[in-house]
Amino acid sequence: MVVSTEASAESGQRPKKAPKVRAILAGGLVLGVGAAITLAAWNSSEFAQGTFTAGSFNLQGSVNGTTFTDNPVGSPATLAFTTNPTNLSPGDVVSAPFAVRLDAASSYDATVTISTQGSTGSVAGLTYELTQSDDFGCAETVTATLVAAGQTLGTAPASVTFPLTQGAGTDPGAPVNLCFRVTAGAVVQAQTGSTTWEFAAQSQ
């Protein structure tokens, strides 16, 4: 009986140990799977770009009101005086029209400042005035006086300005029509000289 009891006891313990081992192994497998899981990171980006282009700006002049060209300091436009300015005597008055505008590519309005670039030879005894009109030509009605009569030739008052507007689309800006009137005073026989005016446009 003792032998049979021990034998039954041994046979009863062996089946109980095997499930415990399987349970431990199962637990180990579960822990192993859990350690292999990682979380994914989500990313999103936005980009912005700016493009910058400078505008265009150019002043042109015309001595006939029709053809406008660039006239740099080294090659100024020659004013077409209505009376021969090379045969002056005291009391003579000669006049010449001039017009300026912004070209078709200009994308800004402008303020134009008038000054004298310089004189050569002798301009003693000569004075001038500068006026503005709606249409081209010195015979047109004066709408504004930019330089009053009696200004010594070769000089200009400070801060003589006028506005210019840019054109629309592919059109140039509207021209500003001017007229120079030069009066001979106590000029000396055979004296000769020339004066160059500058029209300096600044974009607005």
Side-chain angles (χ1 to χ4, degrees), residues 62-64 77-85 94-98 136 138 179-180:
S62 174
V63 296
N64 60 14
T78 300
L79 296 173
F81 283 92
T82 54
T83 304
N84 186 1
V94 294
S95 59
F98 189 60
F136 186 83
C138 288
C179 177
F180 289 93

Side-chain angles (χ1 to χ4, degrees), residues 16-32:
K16 291 179 181 178
K17 290 181 180 180
K20 290 182 181 180
V21 172
R22 286 196 295 271
I24 293 171
L25 290 175
L29 290 174
V30 171
L31 292 175

Side-chain angles (χ1 to χ4, degrees), residues 119-187:
S119 298
T120 60
S122 176
V123 292
L126 298 172
T127 61
Y128 77 100
E129 69 174 325
L130 179 62
T131 59
Q132 184 177 338
S133 59
D134 289 336
D135 297 311
F136 186 83
C138 288
E140 301 298 327
T141 301
V142 173
T143 56
T145 298
L146 301 176
V147 178
Q151 183 70 33
T152 301
L153 195 64
T155 68
S159 301
V160 178
T161 64
F162 60 86
L164 279 177
T165 57
Q166 61 180 295
T170 58
D171 295 329
V176 167
N177 300 297
L178 306 168
C179 177
F180 289 93
R181 291 181 177 86
V182 178
T183 300
V187 292

Side-chain angles (χ1 to χ4, degrees), residues 78-107:
T78 300
L79 296 173
F81 283 92
T82 54
T83 304
N84 186 1
T86 62
N87 190 32
L88 293 176
S89 60
D92 284 346
V93 178
V94 294
S95 59
F98 189 60
V100 292
R101 74 179 186 188
L102 295 172
D103 69 7
S106 295
S107 52

